[in-house]
Amino acid sequence: MTVVVGWTPDARGHAALLRGAREALAHREDLLVVNATTGTAAVDDRFAADSDVTDVQALLESLGVEAQVRQAVVRDVPGELVAIADEVGASLLVIGIRHRSPVGKLLLGSTAQRILLDARCPVLAVKAAEAPGR
């Protein structure tokens, strides 16, 4: 079986990555790290640079986790994560989440909500440590 992590090079992505690695180790499963974006912004800080991918691979190696990292530019990021989880028969899909107001969710939708509702496997939503003053 495989643990799939939806990863972005930020605090939420790091929290999801560490938890996904811990789950893969605990259950002796493969780990697949997915970094996907729509590519609609001129500068997209959610799409990892080569150096970020190298750092993630080094971190996972130091934790004793063998992992594959996939990057993709797609129309539908939540749909891509769910499709990849289905493709590999994931036992778990781990995503990082952030606090959003009800109005923010209404106006912008929720990637996490779509994944939670559409995934066929269990989904673990991980919060990053809150910033000071929050």
Side-chain angles (χ1 to χ4, degrees):
M1 299 289 290
T2 302
V3 174
V4 175
V5 174
W7 171 69
T8 52
D10 57 21
R12 291 184 308 274
H14 186 72
L17 180 70
L18 291 178
R19 185 56 186 262
R22 191 166 58 191
E23 293 293 326
L25 278 172
H27 301 286
R28 295 188 172 112
E29 295 186 2
D30 296 329
L31 181 65
L32 175 58
V33 179
V34 180
N35 176 234
T37 183
T38 58
T40 55
V43 176
D44 188 348
D45 59 357
R46 291 172 296 194
F47 197 66
D50 290 343
S51 61
D52 294 323
V53 173
T54 300
D55 290 347
V56 161
Q57 290 170 326
L59 172 63
L60 293 172
E61 188 175 308
S62 75
L63 297 173
V65 179
E66 286 189 37
Q68 178 185 9
V69 178
R70 284 192 200 178
Q71 288 189 286
V73 177
V74 297
R75 287 182 99 182
D76 177 20
V77 172
E80 181 72 5
L81 287 171
V82 169
I84 289 172
D86 286 347
E87 171 194 323
V88 301
S91 62
L92 180 67
L93 175 55
V94 183
I95 57 172
I97 59 171
R98 64 185 165 116
H99 175 77
R100 297 199 38 200
S101 70
V103 173
K105 287 182 220 172
L106 178 67
L107 295 175
L108 301 173
S110 172
T111 298
Q113 183 177 357
R114 277 210 39 223
I115 293 168
L116 288 165
L117 293 173
D118 293 349
R120 293 183 191 157
C121 65
V123 177
L124 177 58
V126 179
K127 285 186 181 179
E130 291 290 330
R134 196 133 185 189

